[in-house]
Amino acid sequence: MSTTIPPTPTGAAVPPGADRPSAPAGPPSPAPGGSGTTAPSGGAQPHSPAEREAAIRRVGAELDRALPRPSRSPMAFAERRAMAQLMDDPELKAAVFRFVDVRPACADAPALARHLAELLEDAEGSRLGRRGAKMASGRGTRRLTAGVASVGVRGMAQRFIVGEDAATAVPGIERMWRDGAASTVDLLGETTVTEAEAESYYARCAETLRTLHDAAQTWPAQRLLEVDAAGPIPRVNLSVKVSALTPLLRAHAPERGIAGATERLRGLLRIARDTGAHLHVDMESFDTRESITELTLRLLSEPEFQAGPSAGIVLQGYLTESPEHLERLLSWAGSSNRSSPFTIRLVKGAYWDHEVIDATRHGWAPPVFQDRRACDRNYEALSRRLIDASLTGRVRAAIASHNLRSIAAAAAYADEVGADIEFQVLRGLGDETMQALVKTGRRVRCYSPVGDLVAGMAYLVRRLLENTSNDSFLSAQAKGTDLDTLLEAP
Amino acid sequence: MTFINEPALELRRAEVRDRATAALADLDARLPIDVPVLIDGRPAPGTPFDSVDPGNPATVVARVQGASAAQADTAVAAAAAAYPEWSARTGHERAEIVRRAAALLRSNRLGAAALAVRECGKPWADADADVCEAIDFLEYYANGAAAMDDGQPLLQMPGERNALRYVGRGVTAVIAPWNFPLAIATGMVSAALVTGNTVVFKPAEQAPACARLVVDALHAAGVPHGALALLPGGDEPGKALVAHPGVHTIAFTGSCAAGLSILETAARLAPGQRHIKRVVAEMGGKNCVVVDEDADLDDAVPGIVASAFAFAGQKCSAASRVLVHEAIADDLIERLSGAIATLQVGPAEDFATDVPPVIDREAQERVASYVDKGGAPAAQAPAAGDAAADGGPAVSSDGYYARPTLFVDLPEDHPVVTEEIFGPVLAVQRVPSIDAACEIVDAGTFALTGGIYSRSPRTIESFVRRSPVGNVYVNQPITGAMVGRQPFGGGRLSGTGPKAGGPDYLLQFVEARSVSEDTVRHGLVV
């Protein structure tokens, strides 16, 4: 069954059911609260821009009401305030991030105290930094300060990481499942620079797929999470990084990385197929996009994977070329003869600073949007295109965002055209968004990193930087920006 | 004019790589290139020799006429004759001409890079960086020379007008290396020209076609033919130029032994010589990367691999020693060994190549002799062709390939540890502390580049303060200095310390002349 996915730039709905596999579930359930949510409209007329905007506001307000209030989670509130404070104190922020970064490389308490004191000393312009430096270098307070800071870092890391390995992650993942949210596990690790490291990452992925498979047998049924309009959804979902599967990724020679990762990714696809799991290939820096895309599409086109596993890839909306890239993915999915739909996870993209720095140093135009609003507009356009395409049943749309406006726009549009989509959030950053999505009856999956403290630190630093960047939606939310502003059209 | 670095080719895009490959095919169709002796714009014959593709020596890149000592004489006389007119122009005028040369190179970006790929075995990214750096030198020195027209501000008294002007020194001999066949040649030649000197240029024997490309661009841009001569060849023309009484400045980049010999010869007054020769020399290095116990090995390992093995270690800035804190040494050695095993050795034109051939048979044999002396290596990359996937360019067994090799824990006085190898060989030693590493670095005879991977601000400060090298890099690779961003050059036996691509470089090529005029007439300031 080969289906081309026609572009629908106006957002007009492809008549649902036209080429859709018979779905075990009906259309997606609208929010149980039903507070003003537009019911799926089937073949109804597309909405006018004003109607669409109104629907976004409604869905956004509904999600906002469903967010847990700060008063109910005092820890989160305190952390938000601390984050907001950091954002207004760039020197202290730099010192804190550098400390978080070096924390796992400190062999003992004196090493910790020394680094902390040195880094805080460099934050001369910060009052808090000066006070901290005194405490971190003072004879009586040195050990205590380092200890507190170290524990603080560990605590923070644990909020973002669901477990040290697959086995210890299982309880947290099961708890989420019982609470109504699916997950995708991401194994953190050092940068792969050797074949041995690639092999060890492969082995961890294989082990994780098996461990999760065994664990998931006893989980209770969650209809919303297990079936959508396109068919059954695997309970177990693993996200893999091609850069960890081979040390041979080269920006100038995509074929080397492809050759280097092919056997290992094929092995994981086989295990995923045999255990009935979903395997999702993460996208990384722009340098590796060609290798990752080609590798994934080539392998999934192999006859042995025609019947499975369920698999997917990521589209980074911050790339200015993302609309063309989405068309490439859709065209592949449309002509693929695989039996399960191809999941496309739409993210904003996590390497914005890297892309801008890298391009600027080389004198290139950055491959990413420089303007936040343009980026958000593109994200909404991509989500509409992706949602339209999902109506064919050949692709699944996963909208991964913490931006209430982006989420509301995708949700409202999916409701409008009668599409059945999934939302995704990051553990630690999107916990509250996840709760709101669950509460309003939307399908949500939590991207859940697994790994030890050393491996987790690079991840943690990146997430923290994202969270405290002035452009971040979450930081705007944390500062108490009002809902109308948060939901403004980009 | 504001200086910005020439943007690199975006080789991560397939269409850019396709254009590069097409440019190389165009070049291959035109080989071999004729490189004559060029004096006063007139090509002359000499002793013929060839330059070849290091990856496939059967490919002749250039048929070259090697210049004689007598031709060096003629060239110096021609350059001396051209000097008065050229030096009389303003810095602005000369700067305009040099900028035009930059524009010409810019319009031939891919062709120039292809030539460096073919003639010197530079992989595309390095070859392109070479072209960019050549363009950067032209633009940067053009700006510098134009600014020199204004002289320097001096203290002024009533009725007294003081000025400090810069003037050219005379005939400059430029003796250039093959490892940056476009950039370093262009940098030295253009610095001399733009400040009002005339130039006799003796390129490396291995890079004559690249040299001709540079000379052609400068002539086409408007440098008078008499002001720039090209003397391809080996030692003979070079030695003749260094000893020549008509040469005022010698700009040299190359080996330490050659540099010292030039300094010695240049210091002797030749019969008829009425000036002191100035030598601008950039020589070798034995560069160390220090790895602290708190270093992030995810950064350090790729950084060290790039510093040591890119372009087969044939950069004077390349890393050849790692001094690692013993607490983290085993980890680093294991990961570094594994990373080296992933390196693909192959032809420069293959985008999949990590490590290209070395420049010639002699270099190949030199590297092999050091590898022999080192005993059992801790790690080695597969031989050329062994790791290559199907479909890439063929790997010739005659290519001058050398396998990237890692040695660990060699004695402090071992030749692999102390001598400049100029090839893909790296020695790792354990140190008990960063202080101990600093002492080892400080005991070295060279002082060109050096780096540290550490996350302790105080350790980094202390390393930077104690390091004798000209270019210090913190938490990044130690090669790839950029014009206007990391002025390049070292001290001790690494050179006379001019900083190429920096604000002081042009001062090496000029004399300062102080002019003081009394403007008082009949007791009045007029």
Side-chain angles (χ1 to χ4, degrees), chain A residues 390-414:
Chain A
S390 75
L391 293 170
T392 64
R394 301 300 307 143
V395 297
R396 279 190 165 118
I399 304 297
S401 175
H402 300 140
N403 182 324
L404 196 62
R405 161 75 199 191
S406 304
I407 296 171
Y413 188 71

Side-chain angles (χ1 to χ4, degrees), chain A residues 100-101 104 153 156-158 160-161 163-164 186-190 204 449-464:
Chain A
V100 171
D101 175 59
V153 172
M156 261 197 297
Q158 277 163 353
F160 290 86
I161 296 168
E164 283 216 351
D186 159 51
L187 298 179
L188 300 172
E190 291 172 315
R204 285 168 62 215
V450 166
D452 63 19
L453 191 59
V454 176
M457 219 43 78
Y459 177 82
L460 177 65
V461 171
R462 210 166 56 230
R463 291 286 98 91
L464 286 176

Side-chain angles (χ1 to χ4, degrees), chain A residues 20-45:
Chain A
R20 215 163 158 184
S22 58
S29 51
S35 46
T37 310
T38 315
S41 55
Q45 285 298 306

Side-chain angles (χ1 to χ4, degrees), chain A residues 72-248:
Chain A
R72 273 181 249 158
S73 55
M75 248 332 258
F77 182 65
E79 257 183 46
R80 266 193 200 167
R81 277 198 41 191
M83 282 295 170
Q85 204 162 21
L86 270 191
M87 283 177 53
D88 296 333
D89 193 342
E91 284 193 18
L92 185 63
K93 176 176 158 184
V96 167
F97 284 150
R98 284 173 185 275
F99 178 70
V100 171
D101 175 59
V102 76
R103 156 75 182 78
C106 294
D108 49 23
L112 268 173
R114 179 170 65 87
H115 281 91
L116 185 62
E118 289 182 14
L119 289 163
L120 288 171
E121 268 166 39
D122 282 2
E124 290 164 322
S126 158
R127 200 170 48 86
L128 263 175
R130 283 196 305 272
R131 257 171 51 197
K134 245 184 223 160
M135 289 174 69
S137 54
R139 189 173 288 276
T141 49
R142 192 165 44 199
R143 260 170 195 281
L144 183 69
T145 311
V148 168
S150 165
V151 169
V153 172
R154 181 178 289 275
M156 261 197 297
Q158 277 163 353
R159 258 199 50 208
F160 290 86
I161 296 168
V162 64
E164 283 216 351
D165 54 24
T168 54
V170 162
I173 288 168
E174 182 176 343
R175 201 173 314 122
M176 268 193 294
W177 177 266
R178 288 179 183 276
D179 290 345
S183 61
T184 180
V185 166
D186 159 51
L187 298 179
L188 300 172
E190 291 172 315
T191 304
T192 290
V193 299
T194 70
E195 291 293 346
E197 287 160 349
E199 202 51 41
S200 134
Y201 177 76
Y202 168 80
R204 285 168 62 215
C205 287
E207 155 68 17
T208 302
L209 281 171
R210 296 200 178 93
T211 304
L212 292 177
H213 167 76
D214 293 347
Q217 302 305 311
T218 60
W219 297 352
Q222 285 280 19
R223 189 163 176 78
L224 179 63
L225 303 181
E226 293 185 82
V227 178
D228 72 358
I233 306 171
R235 286 184 169 189
V236 174
N237 188 312
L238 179 70
S239 290
V240 296
K241 290 209 162 44
V242 173
S243 70
L245 281 174
T246 175
L248 300 182

Side-chain angles (χ1 to χ4, degrees), chain B residues 175-508:
Chain B
I175 301 174
W178 50 264
N179 64 336
F180 288 82
L182 301 164
I184 295 183
T186 302
M188 294 194 294
V189 169
S190 65
L193 283 172
V194 80
T195 46
N197 304 279
T198 53
V199 172
V200 180
F201 169 30
K202 207 294 283 181
E205 239 178 317
Q206 299 91 338
C210 288
R212 180 172 174 191
L213 185 144
V214 171
V215 169
D216 284 351
L218 285 161
H219 281 156
V223 173
H225 284 123
L228 173 59
L230 174 64
L231 299 185
D235 278 356
E236 189 181 328
K239 286 210 157 99
L241 286 176
V242 170
H244 200 289
V247 167
H248 290 249
T249 310
I250 299 158
F252 166 79
T253 302
S255 75
C256 180
L260 293 175
S261 145
I262 288 172
L263 281 158
E264 202 176 323
T265 309
R268 274 199 299 273
L269 205 63
Q273 183 181 330
R274 296 173 301 157
H275 57 270
I276 295 166
K277 287 180 192 170
R278 186 178 292 166
V279 179
V280 180
E282 208 267 273
M283 288 124 81
K286 186 73 189 172
N287 310 305
C288 301
V289 176
V290 173
V291 183
D292 195 3
E293 61 179 321
D294 67 1
D296 187 344
L297 295 185
D298 283 357
D299 292 338
V301 172
I304 291 167
V305 168
S307 301
F309 302 113
F311 191 34
Q314 303 174 107
K315 301 180 185 181
C316 24
S317 54
S320 60
R321 297 176 75 178
V322 170
L323 305 169
V324 56
H325 195 290
E326 58 195 9
I328 202 175
D330 287 343
D331 268 1
L332 177 79
I333 291 163
E334 187 187 338
R335 300 189 72 190
L336 199 51
S337 299
I340 289 169
T342 71
L343 294 176
Q344 183 168 317
V345 181
E349 69 264 31
D350 186 350
F351 287 102
T353 287
D354 292 313
V355 181
V358 293
I359 189 70
D360 55 18
R361 171 85 57 211
E362 194 189 323
Q364 190 186 28
E365 285 166 359
R366 184 185 64 241
V367 172
S369 84
Y370 279 106
V371 170
D372 270 358
K373 284 180 213 162
Q380 214 166 20
D386 281 7
D390 299 336
V395 177
S396 161
S397 55
D398 296 330
Y400 304 129
Y401 292 104
R403 293 167 66 183
T405 304
L406 178 73
F407 290 108
V408 170
D409 296 333
L410 291 175
E412 179 61 34
D413 59 352
H414 193 282
V416 168
V417 173
T418 58
E419 294 169 18
E420 184 178 31
I421 301 172
F422 222 65
V425 180
L426 182 66
V428 176
Q429 290 166 275
R430 296 163 211 265
V431 289
S433 67
I434 299 308
D435 276 342
C438 287
E439 274 155 35
I440 292 174
V441 172
D442 199 34
T445 50
F446 292 107
L448 188 50
T449 67
I452 185 168
Y453 283 88
S454 170
R455 285 183 277 189
S456 153
R458 294 300 90 79
T459 304
I460 293 169
E461 271 171 27
S462 146
F463 176 81
V464 169
R465 197 174 53 244
R466 294 188 58 182
S467 187
V469 302
N471 286 66
V472 184
Y473 295 87
V474 178
N475 291 328
Q476 61 173 324
I478 66 168
T479 58
M482 299 289 286
V483 173
R485 277 154 67 183
Q486 292 101 16
F488 185 79
R492 295 198 180 160
L493 294 185
S494 291
T496 56
K499 286 285 191 183
D504 307 327
Y505 188 70
L506 294 182
L507 293 173
Q508 314 281 328

Side-chain angles (χ1 to χ4, degrees), chain A residues 462-484:
Chain A
R462 210 166 56 230
R463 291 286 98 91
L464 286 176
L465 280 172
E466 245 172 74
N467 199 14
T468 53
S469 94
N470 282 314
D471 251 4
S472 142
F473 179 88
L474 286 177
S475 65
Q477 204 176 20
K479 279 181 170 166
T481 309
D482 67 81
L483 184 64
D484 271 350

